[in-house]
Amino acid sequence: MRTVQSWFRDTAGGLPARFWYLWTGTLINRLGSFVLVFLAIYLTQERGFSASQAGLVIGLWGVGGAVGTTIGGTLADRW
């Protein structure tokens, strides 16, 4: 019977190190995005923000992310 470790090595062991760096970075990024749910709870429960104010803060975070991604993509293409 094959072990989980041998199955994993056979399945993904041949992938280059760059793949694993990108995969790990993507995983960390996605886990960081999950924090927004707790940010809304923190702002309303602990800091006394109204639901509208907390929504505005999180919305501004989204706008900043969209603008940052656009600028970063343009700079990456030019560089």
Side-chain angles (χ1 to χ4, degrees):
M1 182 172 194
R2 287 175 40 171
T3 63
V4 173
Q5 184 179 11
S6 67
W7 172 83
F8 186 74
R9 187 177 318 124
D10 292 342
T11 304
L15 295 171
R18 285 186 197 176
F19 168 81
W20 293 111
Y21 292 135
L22 289 172
W23 183 85
T24 303
T26 301
L27 178 66
I28 292 169
N29 184 12
R30 299 298 179 218
L31 290 173
S33 296
F34 184 69
V35 171
L36 287 176
V37 175
F38 295 106
L39 176 63
I41 295 170
Y42 171 74
L43 289 174
T44 55
Q45 299 290 322
E46 298 295 323
R47 303 298 284 180
F49 282 40
S50 69
S52 298
Q53 290 171 327
L56 178 64
V57 169
I58 293 173
L60 290 173
W61 177 87
V63 169
V67 171
T69 300
T70 303
I71 292 170
T74 302
L75 291 174
D77 288 342
R78 290 185 184 187
W79 184 33

